[in-house]
Amino acid sequence: MMTLDKHFLWGNSVSSMQSEGAWDADGKGLSVYDVKPETADLSDWKVGIDEFHRYQEDIDLMQQMGMNCYRFQISWTRIFPNGDGEINLAGFDYYDRLISALLKAGIEPMICLYHFDMPLHLAEKYNGFSSRYVTQAFTKFAKAVIDRYGEQVKYWLSFNEQNGFFFEPGFDNTGFINGERDLLTLYTIANNTMVAHAEIANYLHAHYPNDQIGGMLAYQEFYPATSHPQDVFAARKASEFINQHFVDAFTKGHYSAEVLQYMQNHDLMSSIQPGDLALIASHHNDFLAFSYYYTVALDHTKLTPTTPPNYYMRDASVPNPYLESSEWGWQIDALGFRNVLTKLSNETGLPIFPIENGIGIREESLNHEMIQDDERIAYHRDHIQALKDAVDEDGAHVMGYLGWGLIDIPSSKGDMNKRYGVVYVNRTNHDLKDLARIPKASFYWLQKVIQSNGEQLD
């Protein structure tokens, strides 16, 4: 008997700015990424891997691999060039073609509506999601996309890694570019985006009841650095603020009582407007999605009595001596992956969907030759085995497994040296070369894994 459900979803996840390119095609407006300059060590964001023009080639590779799900993002500024105003109908043309090609290839499209590329106009004028006006503009965009594709697309996400808006990246990733980065602003951003998620979920369920939407976390599994009670306390409290606060809102319709008490004690309740909590209570999610790359150990001695729990990860993270690390310092922990899958399944009763997982490795293909990426194969093998253990031994309900950027894309900072793909894309940070797609050894390994529905991991 096979461990995984016969309808298990295997696939790939990307963002628009890391994959599409065509940054000014068909009336697309500027996002905050489009104006970021290249540096000595990082690329700009104008080309990505040019999937806008080469999507069929990439879909053919996904189909050859056996994938049956592709999670991609609809670029806000393709549809609303300034983020608000009138719809740019030409902006839908690319996604019409992409979705039709995916469905023809037997690949389920999964749409993410926001992955950090705030329209530049809304960032400059309103400071992104710190503004309720921007929240409303986003829900308008989301509803337009849902109306366009609700009959074709079954799976939806509102925000990528929504809990990331509650710790320091929340400022950069939500379009906050001017002013003081204070705690009240961060809590306002977190609440505004949860209000938008709830409204979008309610709209989808009301108009397309056969579709499914999930909240999505950058799940951070925290370990105490030692058995010191203060380390244990710090790890638990960090998880409550960074993970549980959002899990509760997604699955129970209310915020964490501990976080609300902190807000009351620190004059942060003004971040929540009248009617917000009722709206959040009215929505539901069909699954819970998350990204998972590494785990974090916390040392309480690095904290002060006034450090906000939102910043425990930033201030108190220390290397875990029991884990190996990637070149970029991300500690590899497949057992942690199993823990998260089982914990979330037990706690929420919802299908759990890990939709980002992978390892960045520095690679170069000379003369288009195949890369023997044994380290990547080992990483995915261990994590898929951990997923199977969560299902088979722990009873977790897991609906799929999507790797991150399995056709090479620039990293989240714009670095082509940090490659996650099982397909090599022939470009560097400053030389686009021919953008050829070259399957690595891991491509053929993953092909066998998917064909066997996870049974063949050797």
Side-chain angles (χ1 to χ4, degrees):
M1 185 176 71
M2 300 183 77
T3 296
L4 303 179
D5 185 89
K6 64 180 181 180
H7 302 298
F8 195 82
L9 295 170
W10 295 96
N12 185 21
S13 287
V14 297
S15 73
S16 63
M17 69 276 190
Q18 290 167 276
S19 57
E20 289 178 5
W23 66 282
D24 60 352
D26 297 336
K28 181 185 177 297
L30 293 176
S31 79
V32 291
Y33 278 84
D34 294 324
V35 297
K36 289 185 178 183
E38 69 178 14
T39 69
D41 300 316
L42 301 174
S43 172
D44 64 25
W45 298 89
K46 291 180 166 56
V47 176
I49 60 169
D50 196 30
E51 189 167 275
F52 186 89
H53 296 107
R54 305 180 71 142
Y55 66 89
Q56 188 61 60
E57 185 177 355
D58 291 343
I59 290 172
D60 289 345
L61 285 164
M62 288 183 247
Q63 186 179 35
Q64 183 182 345
M65 215 183 312
M67 289 181 179
N68 58 5
C69 185
Y70 183 43
R71 171 237 165 164
F72 61 93
Q73 181 205 352
I74 302 283
S75 168
W76 189 347
T77 53
R78 286 203 192 280
I79 312 306
F80 289 90
N82 287 321
D84 52 10
E86 298 300 314
I87 293 176
N88 170 39
L89 290 174
F92 277 124
D93 291 346
Y94 166 65
Y95 300 110
D96 291 349
R97 298 191 301 271
L98 176 67
I99 290 169
S100 293
L102 287 167
L103 292 171
K104 185 177 180 181
I107 299 172
E108 289 282 358
M110 182 181 197
I111 288 178
C112 178
L113 292 163
Y114 184 79
H115 193 128
F116 310 156
D117 59 340
M118 173 64 59
L120 183 63
H121 165 70
L122 298 183
E124 291 179 336
K125 187 171 182 179
Y126 301 102
N127 258 340
F129 279 116
S130 68
S131 162
R132 188 54 69 97
Y133 175 83
V134 173
T135 307
Q136 294 166 345
F138 176 68
T139 58
K140 178 182 175 182
F141 155 71
K143 291 173 183 178
V145 175
I146 290 169
D147 287 343
R148 184 83 171 196
Y149 300 120
E151 296 290 350
Q152 298 169 278
V153 176
K154 297 178 183 177
Y155 301 106
W156 296 81
L157 303 170
S158 56
F159 294 97
N160 180 71
E161 298 183 333
Q162 191 170 341
N163 62 327
F165 306 158
F166 211 42
F167 45 104
E168 197 166 30
F171 293 109
D172 291 330
N173 293 345
T174 59
F176 187 88
I177 61 175
N178 297 302
E180 183 181 354
R181 296 187 169 200
D182 58 19
L183 209 56
L184 179 60
T185 300
L186 196 65
Y187 275 74
T188 300
I189 289 170
N191 181 68
N192 282 351
T193 51
M194 187 60 72
V195 165
H197 171 78
E199 185 172 345
I200 292 163
N202 285 346
Y203 186 85
L204 182 77
H205 288 136
H207 292 83
Y208 301 94
N210 294 324
D211 290 359
Q212 297 184 29
I213 188 168
M216 194 244 178
L217 304 161
Y219 198 93
Q220 307 295 325
E221 180 76 335
F222 294 106
Y223 299 143
T226 71
S227 57
H228 192 296
Q230 290 288 351
D231 285 349
V232 177
F233 178 81
R236 185 208 58 77
K237 199 170 191 70
S239 188
E240 186 68 24
F241 276 69
I242 290 175
N243 298 318
Q244 202 61 40
H245 183 59
F246 294 83
V247 173
D248 284 354
F250 289 141
T251 64
K252 300 176 183 176
H254 63 75
Y255 287 140
S256 158
E258 182 175 357
V259 176
L260 287 173
Q261 186 64 48
Y262 180 88
M263 294 171 69
Q264 291 172 356
N265 294 345
H266 293 83
D267 298 322
L268 298 168
M269 289 300 292
S270 63
S271 62
I272 300 175
Q273 297 187 18
D276 289 355
L277 297 181
L279 175 59
I280 292 167
S282 73
H283 93 292
H284 75 273
N285 290 266
D286 303 289
F287 58 89
L288 187 63
F290 71 99
S291 61
Y292 180 92
Y293 297 97
Y294 56 85
T295 52
V296 177
L298 297 182
D299 176 358
H300 79 279
T301 65
K302 296 182 176 295
L303 301 172
T304 72
T306 60
T307 303
N310 314 65
Y311 294 152
Y312 281 11
M313 181 168 62
R314 179 193 69 184
D315 294 350
S317 296
V318 294
N320 187 331
Y322 300 102
L323 298 174
E324 296 182 358
S325 299
S326 74
E327 180 180 343
W328 282 269
W330 290 16
Q331 298 204 275
I332 301 166
D333 186 1
L335 183 57
F337 187 45
R338 174 180 172 179
N339 281 335
V340 173
L341 289 165
T342 301
K343 178 167 52 178
L344 288 175
S345 183
N346 288 345
E347 178 185 313
T348 69
L350 290 178
I352 306 304
F353 199 174
I355 61 172
E356 289 186 25
N357 181 238
I359 183 170
I361 301 173
R362 192 181 301 271
E363 297 164 320
E364 183 179 8
S365 174
L366 299 174
N367 302 315
H368 293 192
E369 63 191 19
M370 185 186 77
I371 291 170
Q372 186 67 39
D373 54 337
D374 293 338
E375 184 180 359
R376 180 173 294 104
I377 292 172
Y379 180 97
H380 283 287
R381 177 190 292 120
D382 290 347
H383 283 75
I384 293 170
Q385 182 62 59
L387 183 154
K388 290 176 61 181
D389 291 343
V391 173
D392 217 22
E393 299 182 27
D394 305 339
H397 183 183
V398 183
M399 62 188 284
Y401 175 83
L402 307 186
W404 173 252
L406 294 181
I407 298 174
D408 281 347
I409 54 177
S411 77
S412 59
K413 296 185 183 300
D415 187 2
M416 277 303 301
N417 291 316
K418 189 180 184 184
R419 295 174 180 266
Y420 286 83
V422 299
V423 174
Y424 185 89
V425 174
N426 193 35
R427 63 156 291 186
T428 68
N429 283 330
H430 303 116
D431 184 356
L432 295 177
K433 298 187 176 181
D434 60 4
L435 293 167
R437 275 64 164 157
I438 306 158
K440 307 173 189 177
S442 57
F443 175 94
Y444 301 102
W445 173 82
L446 188 57
Q447 184 183 58
K448 291 188 290 186
V449 172
I450 296 173
Q451 286 173 350
S452 69
N453 201 32
E455 291 303 298
Q456 186 174 342
L457 297 181
D458 295 333

